[in-house]
Amino acid sequence: MSQSQQKVVQYLNEAHATEVGLTRVLQSQIAMTPRGSYRSGLEKHLTQTRDHAERVQRRLSDLGSGNNPLQVAVGAAGGVIGQVLAFAKTPVDLVRGSGGEEKVLKNAKDACATEALEIATYTALERLARSVGDTKTADLAASIRSDEQKMLDSVLGEIPKLTDAVVGAEVEGNGSYDLSKTGAADAVRDAGEKAKKTAGGTTARTKRGARQARKVPGVAQAEGQAKGAVASEEDLAIARYDKLTADEIIGKLSELSQIDLAKVDSYERKQQNRTTILDKVTSLRGEEPWPGYDELSVAEIESVLGEGDDDRAKEVRTYERARKNRAGVLKATERDLANA
């Protein structure tokens, strides 16, 4: 490979890495953006960005550089699990109902900066490619740059409206941000509807996939928060929730998993917003001893504890005492620590 080709490949690799990174950013922004023209633009550009990455990848392969370390798979986090993983990155203050308008505006400003970087990246790539006689790469760069310019113009056009929403929420006290209309909430709702129409075997696979996703730190709470935003009373882990007093609900909270606590948190904030319940939920929420802990049975937890990790046993004991307080789990932690 000539020196000029190596330079073109370098710039293509940089462009590809940028597209892959933007895919993740767009998923995160879509997850926390309510329905409307801005989110529609983000969703359209996510499709474009995946296409851009594939086109750049094909050009790299044509140039004999198909196995470089920067080539990362695009789109693996699609669908509801991808949305939930992205939603897991949402700051706690946004998830719990404050500052949504400001966060969306900040994301839009960040998007402008990202698009400007991409425009510069493809401008440089086009110039380099034409200088060394690589017309195919130059035309590819020009085509993608045009898409990025259109996206930048589109986002800039949304900034005034998003700023007005911030003024309404933080100056005039008339907030418009609705968690139940975000991309993450819509994805959860759509997945739920599809699950109802799906037969047993596929439903079981879907549930197994969700359990696997919850083994990623933060996903269980994020999934519960999104589901709670669109949940009805029947969807909660506490039966007859709306008919119970605050004290009765508080008495049942310690039995819930992190995903169900997050669901109650979001549902309660949307409905009666009782401080006593929300404070109790907050005190019970926290990181599991290990990702996926709440999905395990007592026997499965005992099996993990049998590996003899003292620090893990202490974490389990503290977590379990403050929540489900299951005798079998606590006895297993004591056995493990006694044998240390």
Side-chain angles (χ1 to χ4, degrees), residues 3 15 21 82 88 119 149 157 172 240 252 285 290 298 301 318:
Q3 186 173 357
I119 290 168
Q149 184 65 59
E172 300 172 354
R240 301 173 57 254
K252 297 177 180 293
R285 293 182 69 175
W290 59 82
V298 171
I301 294 171
T318 300

Side-chain angles (χ1 to χ4, degrees), residues 244-262:
L244 300 179
T245 66
D247 286 342
E248 288 172 328
I249 293 171
I250 288 171
K252 297 177 180 293
L253 291 175
S254 62
E255 303 169 6
L256 304 187
S257 66
Q258 289 298 316
I259 187 172
D260 286 327
L261 284 170

Side-chain angles (χ1 to χ4, degrees), residues 49-70:
T49 299
R50 287 172 171 152
D51 178 65
H52 293 166
E54 291 173 1
R55 291 164 65 190
V56 172
Q57 175 66 68
R58 286 197 297 270
R59 186 59 190 150
L60 279 164
S61 297
D62 290 344
L63 293 173
S65 183
N67 296 313
N68 73 82
L70 289 176

Side-chain angles (χ1 to χ4, degrees), residues 66-338:
N67 296 313
N68 73 82
L70 289 176
Q71 292 166 3
V72 183
V74 179
V80 63
I81 291 177
Q83 291 282 16
V84 170
L85 283 169
F87 192 73
K89 300 176 183 177
T90 308
V92 172
D93 61 342
L94 173 57
V95 170
R96 295 187 177 178
S98 64
E101 295 86 356
E102 181 67 52
K103 183 61 179 178
V104 173
L105 175 59
K106 182 180 183 301
N107 283 344
K109 291 189 286 187
D110 289 346
C112 289
T114 301
E115 291 305 319
L117 173 61
E118 287 209 289
I119 290 168
T121 297
Y122 285 109
T123 298
L125 175 59
E126 181 189 6
R127 181 73 172 189
L128 170 66
R130 292 204 190 281
S131 297
V132 300
D134 186 346
T135 303
K136 287 186 178 180
T137 298
D139 290 346
L140 172 65
S143 173
I144 295 177
R145 188 191 68 236
S146 176
D147 289 341
E148 305 299 353
Q149 184 65 59
K150 290 175 183 176
M151 181 59 181
L152 175 58
D153 293 341
S154 175
V155 177
L156 285 172
E158 295 285 343
I159 295 290
K161 181 172 63 177
L162 298 177
T163 305
D164 289 343
V166 173
V167 173
E170 301 191 14
V171 178
E172 300 172 354
N174 184 26
S176 59
Y177 186 85
D178 187 346
L179 181 64
S180 69
K181 295 180 180 179
T182 59
D186 283 346
V188 169
R189 186 187 295 107
D190 291 345
E193 290 300 317
K194 290 177 183 177
K196 292 177 182 177
K197 300 176 183 178
T198 305
T202 304
T203 300
R205 287 193 295 273
T206 300
K207 290 180 178 179
R208 285 196 296 271
R211 285 196 294 270
Q212 285 298 111
R214 292 176 199 137
K215 293 181 181 179
V216 179
V219 168
Q221 292 192 36
E223 180 182 342
Q225 206 77 50
K227 285 183 174 179
V230 297
S232 63
E233 180 188 16
E234 291 75 20
D235 297 322
L236 301 179
I238 298 177
R240 301 173 57 254
Y241 184 94
D242 290 340
K243 297 179 177 61
L244 300 179
T245 66
D247 286 342
E248 288 172 328
I249 293 171
I250 288 171
K252 297 177 180 293
L253 291 175
S254 62
E255 303 169 6
L256 304 187
S257 66
Q258 289 298 316
I259 187 172
D260 286 327
L261 284 170
K263 193 185 296 185
V264 167
D265 181 278
S266 192
Y267 180 84
E268 180 65 32
R269 291 177 188 276
K270 183 180 66 172
Q271 302 295 331
Q272 299 185 55
N273 201 32
R274 289 166 287 187
T275 303
T276 53
I277 293 176
L278 295 174
D279 286 348
K280 182 62 176 178
V281 169
T282 299
S283 72
L284 292 171
R285 293 182 69 175
E287 289 300 322
E288 300 161 276
W290 59 82
Y293 177 93
D294 284 338
E295 297 293 323
L296 302 180
S297 66
V298 171
E300 289 170 326
I301 294 171
E302 289 177 341
S303 176
V304 175
L305 290 172
E307 297 173 4
D309 186 327
D310 295 343
D311 290 337
R312 176 180 288 172
K314 291 176 182 177
E315 290 176 9
V316 168
R317 183 176 61 184
T318 300
Y319 183 86
E320 193 70 30
R321 281 177 175 172
R323 293 166 178 83
K324 297 184 180 181
N325 204 33
R326 291 170 289 185
V329 174
L330 293 174
K331 287 180 180 178
T333 63
E334 296 302 334
R335 282 197 304 270
D336 185 75
L337 293 171

